[in-house]
Amino acid sequence: QVYLSGEKSGPFLDYAEKHEHAEVLLSFLKELKSSLQRLAAANGGEASEDVAALVGATEMQVPHTDLLPGQVQVICALTETSSTLVYDPKLPRPSRQEVAKMMGVEASELKEEGQFGLV
């Protein structure tokens, strides 16, 4: 796990600033954080400063973060895989329309499998 943003991100940011593709990499990270902040605000929430990357696996890893009541976690893969939304399992399961809104996509984009697939 590598922290890309937040309190523990110093080592990554030091590396990224010296990388030959620093401008593209840091621009992507800034755009990602901005999009997540807008999505959180649109849903009455607040985005965390922490952005972490799970690296080294051949497939996207199952999220294993404990969520506090009312929190959601958005998993974005940089490889071809389904997007994942993790929510508090103690709350009622969200509808397809609610999932689409949380992920910032149209409900018509949700499929049973594949991109934006629901499990």
Side-chain angles (χ1 to χ4, degrees):
Q1 182 170 337
V2 176
Y3 285 89
L4 309 180
S5 175
E7 287 185 34
K8 300 177 184 178
S9 65
F12 169 77
L13 293 175
D14 289 344
Y15 166 79
E17 289 169 358
K18 296 172 186 154
H19 194 277
E20 65 179 305
H21 299 293
E23 186 177 332
V24 173
L25 180 60
L26 295 173
S27 175
F28 168 78
L29 185 56
K30 183 177 179 181
E31 185 177 331
L32 175 64
K33 287 177 57 180
S34 178
S35 295
L36 293 173
Q37 288 170 345
R38 283 194 309 273
L39 181 61
N43 288 282
E46 185 177 320
S48 169
E49 284 297 315
D50 292 327
V51 175
L54 301 176
V55 295
T58 57
E59 295 181 1
M60 189 170 95
Q61 297 179 12
V62 176
H64 51 274
T65 300
D66 293 328
L67 297 174
L68 298 174
Q71 285 186 319
V72 297
Q73 180 183 47
V74 179
I75 311 296
C76 304
L78 300 179
T79 59
E80 282 193 35
T81 188
S82 296
S83 299
T84 304
L85 174 69
V86 180
Y87 61 94
D88 185 344
K90 295 178 190 101
L91 296 176
R93 185 175 179 160
S95 68
R96 292 175 74 82
Q97 187 67 34
E98 291 168 325
V99 168
K101 183 178 178 185
M102 284 185 245
M103 293 179 74
V105 299
E106 296 293 325
S108 61
E109 295 294 319
L110 296 176
K111 302 174 185 174
E112 290 304 320
E113 294 183 15
Q115 187 175 16
F116 305 122
L118 295 177
V119 178

